[in-house]
Amino acid sequence: MKKILELITNPKTGKLSSSDCAVSLAFVVSSIVVLYQCFNYQQNELLLGTYLAAWVAQSQASKRAAIKRDVELKDDSND
């Protein structure tokens, strides 16, 4: 349980991160929907492709935002 809480807390403050909670909840809900569709034999390529594309896009957007933030912080510290 402690490992799960580490996923949704801010490492600097130790408080819950609202954005991490929202992403985790969205992942759980979308995964349940995909699994439900699979078990009811209603799964199609469009649903699975959309599911995968959404999570890949979110991951890449998050990485780009983190890189941009780190570059801005580095530039500010050099001034």
Side-chain angles (χ1 to χ4, degrees), residues 44-63:
N44 60 28
E45 293 83 15
L46 180 62
L47 179 64
L48 183 60
T50 305
Y51 172 80
L52 293 173
W55 288 110
V56 168
Q58 185 279 333
S59 173
Q60 292 303 311
S62 176
K63 284 181 184 179

Side-chain angles (χ1 to χ4, degrees), residues 5-76:
L5 290 176
E6 288 176 4
L7 289 174
I8 58 174
T9 56
N10 185 334
K12 293 180 183 177
T13 63
K15 295 182 180 180
L16 285 178
S17 169
S18 59
S19 61
D20 288 344
C21 287
V23 169
S24 298
L25 181 64
F27 178 73
V28 169
V29 170
S30 64
S31 297
I32 289 171
V33 167
V34 169
L35 289 173
Y36 176 79
Q37 292 296 322
C38 286
F39 288 126
N40 286 324
Y41 302 106
Q42 297 174 357
Q43 178 70 16
N44 60 28
E45 293 83 15
L46 180 62
L47 179 64
L48 183 60
T50 305
Y51 172 80
L52 293 173
W55 288 110
V56 168
Q58 185 279 333
S59 173
Q60 292 303 311
S62 176
K63 284 181 184 179
R64 286 182 187 253
I67 290 169
K68 182 179 178 184
R69 182 184 63 237
D70 291 344
V71 167
E72 289 173 355
L73 288 175
K74 185 178 177 183
D75 290 343
D76 288 344

